[in-house]
Amino acid sequence: MKKLITFLFVFFSAALLSESVYAALDTASYAYKKKKFEYRANKRYEEAKFDESYVNYLMLFKLDSTNYKYYLDAGMMAFDDMNRPELAYPIFIKAVKYSPTDTLPDLAKNLAHAALFLSKYDEAKFYYRMYNRLTNPKNKPERHNIYIDKAIEDCNYALSHTQVNDTIILENLGSIVNTKYPEYNPVVDSHDSVLYFTSRRPENNNGNIDPDDNKYYEDIFQSLNINGHTKPSKFDILEKVTTDKEYFNQNKVHKSVVGLSFGEKQLLLYKENKLWQSDKNIKGTWDKPQLMDVRLNLTKYQSHTTIAPDGKTVYISAEASNIIGNRDIQISKIRDDGNWGIPISISPLINTPFEENSPEICNDGKTLYFSSQGLPGYGGYDIYKTTLENGAWTAPINMGLPINSPGDDLYFSDNTNDGIAYFSSHRVGGYGDQDIYKTTRSTEQLLEYVPKPFVIELDGTKSIDNEGAKITYDWDFGDGANERGTKLSHGYKRPGKYLVKLNTIDETTKFTGYDEYQIPVDISNATHIEIACADTIFEGQRIALDGSSSSIKNVKITKRLWQLSDGSRISDSTIVHRTYNKVGIYPEKYFCRGKNDSLKLKIGYFCTKNIVVIPEADFKSIKARKDKRIKLKKHISDSTSAMEVEQLSHRSLSAPTIIANEIEIPVITAEDEVAISTAQKEREANLKVEKDFAEKDFVTDALANKEGDIALRLEEGFDATTTKLDTTNLPNVDLEPIYFDLDKFNIRNDASKALIRNIGIMKQYPEFVFKVSGYTDVRGSDEYNIRLSNKRALSAIAYLVQNGIPENRITGILSKGERTAGFKDDTKTGVNEKEYQNDRRVEFTVLGKIIK
């Protein structure tokens, strides 16, 4: 007994010790992982590898989802160092949730900045005002922060200035020129043949990083424009020039291009906080840069300059003692003695207590473009235009949308001969920081497109030698239309490639040819602007306005714009969705523009479609009458066709000898077999097209009825119109849901086991009907998720039917897509895979008992 007690004591002690050891190991493992990812995040940040640092923060979010410091550090890195407010915004939202009180003010301010960048103006105003409340004690007079007040003014300005100048075509120069690092200050010649620009890339200055902002140093690149811009190369003109070799470390200095003089004889540059000038020699190359006049380099920092066409006036953005804000635009003129005068502030209408930058004088010598943070705008730097009239500058005009954005827009220049302008911008949709954009101006008068059919003329006698026989020509136009006649015309509703088929019927013998002639019709290169959607819908319905079938002859459409009846404007989209909540008539406009490169011609069209919204009861009544007419028409058509077939068959069989004497009995040849095979393939293709249309209609209905369940019409599924159900006293059965992999609808092994258990339960209740519902997670578009949830439910139905559950005991599938997704985060980080997995499922429920 004593040995037994000793054994039990040792056993339980060992068990407890083992349990505590494992607990300690788990804790150690957790702590180790946190330290590991913290170290990596900090280390990569110090190395300016911000993307890699961000990935480590994602792992830290997963390990500790309530750690405020992780969210704050990652958000600030994304906002300040990566210059990606769109990435910082959702992180700041999390940080606010867990933030201690003393850090809320700065967090609210940064969250407001990020919201402003994303054009969430009302939300930005909310957080700016929160910052003001948090930083102003109740018992003290309110202290205004001029920067916060200006940001709120920008939000109000943006909300009241939503009109987009749709004559301006905006183009990001793309990944050939732009990277995730900053690219800015574009300088082009008058022929738009060469582009100089500044970039802060890892290859600059041996990969050294400026400690002031933790970014790579600036350097100059050039790209030739030969049917599009070539891959940039380093432009090393400033490599061997310096004012002080001992003071300026040449591997830790900024080098930037600034501008090009009119006549293109002087290239203006920046290095060592000074402005430089390089002259073009008789060989057409640039000489060694020289410091510009000492009077133009008096201030501590000159970032940009432009020279007037007459060469007698210089405009400079600089930091100096005589400025209004941190950086202003200065002006200097040539004096009578030939020297430059001391720069002075250009005008109080232009300079503000905030920063002004990147002046660019035009070739008329009167129009000046510049950027400002202080004038009314959309946020950050905006681009403005002012004109010199009677010796004074006019009040600056904001260049508006789409040139300006909630981000920083700078360095606007339109000195090319063909109206092309370049500027740099940090905005949503770019490559991650400042990008270089190109604008062209559409000068054409927009034409309203009036729909008209594309008509073709057909003559059967030119294709067939009838040898005196009386022939009936039966035409299939390839767009669903059929007609009989010798000579006729047909109008197609929209461009495309069609195959016209001509069948012949000998009226004497009633012998029918089989697709004897095929005529290809190509009208794909044509102008056609269309909004494809229903003309009449019911109140509260959501529909897709589809402009994807639109085309312009000899032109590639590069700009699309929707101008909707609710006042909104949507760019660069072929399909938009809108819900119509009130009865009425809604005119919707769709614009398409493009450029014919060979003719150098800009072409634009628009069309208008009136959407009529009626009460749902009226809509159902009209639809029922229309369906009845279609059904009756189809019945008459089918009956007529069957009658004609029967008559032809009867005549052929009643006088076979006469037919044989008059015509040659056809023999199946190899060519006939090919024709028959082709016809079979066409029929299969038509069936597929019909199936695709049915699926498209299903998706359309699902999108239009987003809040309700959508039932799929199974061929042999349960029919509620013919069979009634008792939905009371339903059995309490535990039917398991099945789960799917991301973007998949095949039945996994674990799902198969669950289905087998469900089938066993279903067979115990042979008189009951079951409902199958498909779901997806929140990732993906509405249309894609509806299709995917539909396929998942179909896979489950097929499995049930194959394993003995009659299809008439399964109701139509309720494809819910992502609408009931439990986890709403669609940032696609993969951190919350467990939550996503719970949403990727098919559920089974008892619907009711069949009433016999």
Side-chain angles (χ1 to χ4, degrees), residues 376-421:
Y378 295 87
Y381 275 111
D382 271 10
I383 297 169
Y384 299 83
K385 180 173 73 172
T386 182
T387 306
L388 186 62
E389 296 182 1
N390 300 321
W393 294 97
T394 60
I397 299 173
N398 189 299
M399 294 291 287
L401 304 173
I403 291 177
N404 285 320
S405 72
D408 287 329
D409 306 290
L410 298 128
Y411 307 109
F412 186 87
S413 171
D414 68 348
N415 290 326
T416 60
N417 291 333
D418 53 2
I420 294 173

Side-chain angles (χ1 to χ4, degrees), residues 74-92:
M76 294 306 298
M77 179 183 70
F79 190 86
D80 290 332
D81 301 295
M82 300 173 74
N83 209 8
R84 295 194 55 187
E86 74 279 10
L87 200 62
Y89 172 79
I91 302 175
F92 284 147

Side-chain angles (χ1 to χ4, degrees), residues 594-633:
K595 182 180 178 183
N596 185 310
D597 292 327
S598 60
L599 300 177
K600 294 185 178 179
L601 181 67
K602 302 179 183 70
I603 302 172
Y605 289 90
F606 73 93
C607 68
T608 304
K609 184 161 188 173
N610 292 320
I611 308 297
V612 180
V613 182
I614 62 177
E616 186 171 2
D618 294 345
F619 180 85
K620 289 181 178 178
S621 176
I622 294 171
K623 187 176 185 302
R625 292 197 298 271
K626 183 178 178 182
D627 290 345
K628 187 175 181 180
R629 287 196 301 270
I630 293 173
K631 188 175 182 181
L632 179 60
K633 185 177 180 181

